[in-house]
Amino acid sequence: MEYRKIDKLSYNLHLIKTENFKTIFFKFVFRDNIKKEDITIRNFLTEILASSSKKYPTTRFLSIRQEELYNLTMNFSNRRIGSQILSELCFSIIDPKYTDEQSLEESIAFMNDIIFNPNIENNLFNEKMFNITYDYLKERIEELKNYPDYYAESSIKQIMCKDNAFSFNLTGYMNDLEKITRENLTEYYYNFINKNILDIFVVGNIDFYEIEKLIDKYIVLKVLKKPKKQIQNYYESNRKRAKMVQEESNFSQSKLLIGCQIKNPTEKERKYTAVLYNMILGNSPESKLFKNIREKKSLAYDVSSSYYKNDNIILIKTGINKNSYEDALKGIKKEIKDITLGKFSMSHLDNCKTLIKSLLNEFTDYQGSIAEYYFSLEYLDQDTINIKEKMIDSITKDDIINVSKKVVIDTIYFLKEK
């Protein structure tokens, strides 16, 4: 695999050559500091960009052109990493070696039309497409409230750290949706294009010179942009005891969620030791929570833990019967305590190391994960695979015990079925 980064002043072009695929993958990453009030309009923008353009003003015309380009596929989404929001506009085309030579340039021209030549007339987004997008987002925001997992996770994040980026709902907010107009959406689009940091990743069996030449021809940006380096969003709370909240619901299953913070981890602990700790705790089928809380004691229908290393947060999620609340909470606390006492086997730790290293090496199986790997190296202070494997191997049982002593239960949220 060969990698080259080219600074175009208005954006960075990342070219990754690999012969493992018969497709070429393009990923446009627009990123900015996250603001709660911008999440909904940003979702609106990516949805409307994906549905039409000035040259292809309806979804039907767009689909026809995608078929003409040998079934070009595209997927637009938004996600948060630490203190920043990323809009990822992804396209995949069949390698022109298997179609025709013109399809590469025509596909890049199509991407340019979608992103930089939107369906705007008289300085306003097309009214019909605006209304279709509005109705779709409204339905999606309202529908998600009916899912207990989504509702419970959104609730504990608000209770745990309101106004912190970790608590923001990436689906969007109804009150913000109602404020969106064609005028402010158009204004937001131009700010998005001109002020967001842009990185373009191209992954495939590519010719560096050819791709750079075509990108230069169609992606014409003249605004100089300064990189946003600070992505981490470390959460800190000074609570002396865990905050406990119970809420009654109409759902048919109860949810017990526990939010923990990791107090002042070292860089090694944040990047490696805490990952292994989380896997031992609840992020694998062999984890203590899964084996003991779910299988042995049958206190939960499902149980898992997730580690957010750019926030210093571990979130434990369980689905339980309401009558199991006290036992489940007591059992989870015991599993957390047992790790600090060293009550886990070396074979368990070694199995987790093996699993992590196996997952690390799977990144070459997918073009999207290859692009994500190089993004992480550039902007998330991540190490190469070789360094990661050595660091994982170096972690001892005492390292796990030491980081476990920094894990503090911050918030306990119980969504109780009627």
Side-chain angles (χ1 to χ4, degrees), residues 253-311:
Q253 189 183 104
S254 295
K255 298 291 177 180
L256 170 61
L257 279 74
I258 300 173
C260 306
Q261 63 169 312
I262 304 177
K263 294 274 192 177
N264 303 314
T266 65
E267 193 68 4
K268 179 182 177 181
E269 288 174 337
R270 184 181 70 82
K271 292 165 68 173
Y272 298 107
T273 316
V275 175
L276 276 167
Y277 168 85
N278 181 56
M279 189 163 279
I280 292 169
L281 176 65
N283 193 232
S284 73
E286 298 297 316
S287 69
K288 291 173 68 63
L289 292 179
F290 189 87
K291 284 290 186 182
N292 296 327
I293 301 300
R294 185 180 184 274
E295 290 192 338
K296 187 180 292 185
K297 298 179 181 178
S298 299
L299 292 173
Y301 305 115
D302 56 82
V303 60
S304 65
S305 64
S306 301
Y307 170 49
Y308 301 84
K309 63 184 172 185
N310 291 303
D311 303 282

Side-chain angles (χ1 to χ4, degrees), residues 273-292 305 335 338-339 343-353 356 395-397 400-401:
T273 316
V275 175
L276 276 167
Y277 168 85
N278 181 56
M279 189 163 279
I280 292 169
L281 176 65
N283 193 232
S284 73
E286 298 297 316
S287 69
K288 291 173 68 63
L289 292 179
F290 189 87
K291 284 290 186 182
N292 296 327
S305 64
E335 298 305 326
D338 281 353
I339 297 180
K343 294 183 179 180
F344 59 95
S345 67
M346 280 304 301
S347 62
H348 191 182
L349 175 57
D350 290 338
N351 288 341
C352 289
K353 288 182 178 182
I356 288 178
I395 293 172
T396 65
K397 186 171 183 176
I400 300 295
I401 293 170

Side-chain angles (χ1 to χ4, degrees), residues 9-20:
L9 300 181
S10 294
Y11 62 92
N12 289 307
L13 178 61
H14 308 259
L15 304 177
I16 304 112
K17 180 177 177 64
T18 170
E19 298 179 357
N20 295 345

Side-chain angles (χ1 to χ4, degrees), residues 4 11 15 33 83 109 118 124 128 157 163 181 186 189 205 215 223 237 262 264 281 283 292-293 346 349 354 372 383:
R4 183 179 299 172
Y11 62 92
L15 304 177
N33 294 327
S83 63
L124 290 174
K128 181 180 179 181
K157 287 180 177 180
D163 299 326
T181 64
T186 307
Y189 166 76
N205 191 9
I215 294 287
V223 181
S237 170
I262 304 177
N264 303 314
L281 176 65
N283 193 232
N292 296 327
I293 301 300
M346 280 304 301
L349 175 57
T354 301
E372 179 67 17
D383 299 316

Side-chain angles (χ1 to χ4, degrees), residues 15-39:
L15 304 177
I16 304 112
K17 180 177 177 64
T18 170
E19 298 179 357
N20 295 345
F21 306 96
K22 293 184 178 180
T23 56
I24 300 178
F25 177 77
F26 296 79
K27 184 176 184 179
F28 296 74
V29 183
F30 291 85
R31 59 190 175 96
D32 197 3
N33 294 327
I34 192 168
K35 297 177 183 176
K36 185 178 180 180
E37 62 271 20
D38 286 350
I39 292 172

Side-chain angles (χ1 to χ4, degrees), residues 37-54:
E37 62 271 20
D38 286 350
I39 292 172
T40 311
I41 196 169
R42 198 176 185 96
N43 288 340
F44 202 119
L45 178 62
T46 51
E47 287 292 341
I48 203 168
L49 289 178
S51 62
S52 67
S53 71
K54 185 170 287 186

Side-chain angles (χ1 to χ4, degrees), residues 306-322:
S306 301
Y307 170 49
Y308 301 84
K309 63 184 172 185
N310 291 303
D311 303 282
N312 287 354
I313 288 175
I314 290 177
L315 189 60
I316 300 168
K317 295 178 280 188
T318 67
I320 63 174
N321 182 286
K322 64 181 178 181

